[in-house]
Amino acid sequence: MYRKNSTLELPEEQMKSYGYQVVDAVVGHFCEQKNKLPVAIASREEMDNMFLEEAPENPTQPKQVLDFVLDKVMTQSTIVSHPKAYSFVPGPSNYISAMADTLATGFNIFSGGWVASPAAAELEIITLQWLLKIFRFPAKKGGGIFTSGGSMANLTAIVTARNIKCGDDFSKAVIYLSDQAHSSNIKAIRILGFRKHQIRIIPTNLEFEFSINKLKNAIAKDKLQGLQPFCVIATAGTTNTGTVDPLTKIAQICKKENLWFHIDGAYGGAAILSKEGKKLLKGIEKADSLTVDPHKWFFQPYEMGCLLIRNHKYLKGTFTEKPEYLRDVEGNQSEINFYDHGVQLTRRFRALKFYMSIKTFGLKAFRNAISYNIHLAEQVEDLLRKSPNWEVISPATLAVINFRYNPISANLSEKELDKLNEYISKKVMESRQALLVTTVLNNQIVLRMCLINPRTSLQDVKDTLNLCASFAKEKCKC
Ligand SMILES: Cc1ncc(COP(=O)(O)O)c(C=O)c1O
């Protein structure tokens, strides 16, 4: 009796029409998003008014729920793949990968162990091999894992580094990172139980790079005090400015001092596909572990991060636990169970979207898109430098540029400039026409653009700068 209405199924025809409506909505979004306003603003109260209700005991017509969601939910999110979404790290996804995710979810493929899905494990191995080759990591010994994002990849790297370099006793271990390293690294270090005195935040130089001299001093001092330096985290493309730390020099220090060298390339790593990026990222191949983040500049939808590792045995040695009920599912050595390479046991099939999008478009399309982004940021820098009203604060680097409104004729104080640029960002956001927020560099409040969307045109940026200038003029009459 209970089985009636409890199999959670729909008739075939209804499933199809429901699915077609979903596809129509997604395609409509891909085609129309540039004509929408990218910024969603709503208070908790407004959202509660729209959605708050008890979990319903009784069913609602499927179409009614879907229509409500399309109308009210999908319209209340900032469009991170909009050409005028410049802030944080935008998410310029692609349609093939969105459909691949739909397939992976539709078939609910378990991507934890070889026995459950040999094809899913194989595609993860193959796509990781593509990445190992792209980043010039050892093809045979190297390995990795796809994760939910860059944060989880960094966490996986630091667990591995600690295990390999310190074993069980990490009471004297010290880890080094710069003041421009992404906050997910500190979060990971804290999650792992390191205390404040075991973390060295090394100041960056005037170019926002890891200061080599200060790093060497810190390591030497810690060794003199009987501590155990074990890991340096460098960044290949900082979130704030796109800066690449001096990777080759840090690699030399790590080698000499026997430290684990982790590179957080979550933002900038993908740029290696372009000629310009490859030059900037020299030394990235020397890392023991490298975070890259396909849901950023590899144009994948959320969630997809990746950790590459110089020796795959390090991951296996760190993460293998064998509960009794998994005894029979151990494959042979070459048949990887990815639950042995990271935190998750049950994992979605992330490799599929990477595989399908690269097969469909070809790597060349990705290379061209990234080169376009890097050049676009350089064109924007050029434009800003030629204007009497704008000041470049950090030059276009890996498609990131920071600047502020600072008219030569107005002679504004630092405080006035901070207020003015904060005001510009606030007004732009309120207008919902562009996602443009501020960051802080050298104690100055500045506007930051991250231009990794291949659908953003120079005209889009010019329109946004004109909008900013009109708000600025309104405020300061300059
Ligand atoms: C350099 C860097 N590392 C790590 C992260 C965290 O990645 P995720 O948001 O995918 O967890 C980011 C996010 O912007 C980043 O820019």
Side-chain angles (χ1 to χ4, degrees), residues 94 96-97 100 126-131 134-135 146 270 273 294 297-300 304 350-367 370:
N94 76 87
I96 295 292
S97 294
I126 298 297
T127 44
L128 284 168
Q129 277 172 356
W130 291 352
L131 285 166
I134 287 168
F135 286 99
F146 290 126
L273 286 178
W297 215 352
F298 278 107
F299 312 110
Q300 301 302 313
M304 189 177 195
R350 297 190 176 95
L352 186 65
K353 53 186 162 186
F354 199 69
Y355 178 79
M356 287 178 71
S357 56
I358 288 185
K359 289 265 286 185
T360 304
F361 294 115
L363 263 187
K364 203 191 260 180
F366 287 76
R367 294 185 200 283
I370 290 168

Side-chain angles (χ1 to χ4, degrees), residues 89 149-152 154 182 184 235 237 239 264 266-267 293 295-296:
V89 179
S151 303
M152 186 54 97
N154 284 334
H182 190 265
S184 58
T235 311
T239 323
D264 179 358
Y267 172 63
D293 216 1
H295 67 200
K296 294 189 167 66

Side-chain angles (χ1 to χ4, degrees), residues 165 215 219 223 230 232 247-261 286-288 310:
K165 293 294 183 191
L215 173 63
I219 293 171
K223 279 168 63 180
F230 83 100
V232 178
L247 303 179
T248 304
K249 283 185 186 157
I250 297 175
Q252 283 162 356
I253 295 171
C254 288
K255 193 164 180 207
K256 180 164 169 256
E257 302 285 353
N258 189 26
L259 310 181
W260 185 277
F261 183 24
K286 296 188 191 317
D288 291 300
R310 176 160 296 282

Side-chain angles (χ1 to χ4, degrees), residues 71-98:
D71 183 36
K72 300 282 192 255
V73 180
M74 293 305 152
T75 50
Q76 296 290 345
S77 293
T78 289
I79 305 172
V80 291
S81 49
H82 190 284
K84 289 183 180 167
Y86 306 107
S87 293
F88 318 114
V89 179
S93 160
N94 76 87
Y95 182 73
I96 295 292
S97 294

Side-chain angles (χ1 to χ4, degrees), residues 303-321:
E303 300 176 346
M304 189 177 195
C306 175
L307 180 69
L308 297 178
I309 197 126
R310 176 160 296 282
N311 189 333
H312 73 272
K313 286 192 181 144
Y314 292 153
L315 277 186
K316 197 159 180 201
T318 302
F319 288 98
T320 301
E321 296 288 345

Side-chain angles (χ1 to χ4, degrees), residues 421-437:
N421 284 277
E422 228 167 15
Y423 175 82
I424 293 170
S425 163
K426 185 169 163 277
K427 293 298 282 184
V428 170
M429 294 292 283
E430 278 171 7
S431 79
R432 299 181 52 213
Q433 292 187 54
L435 179 66
L436 184 70
V437 300

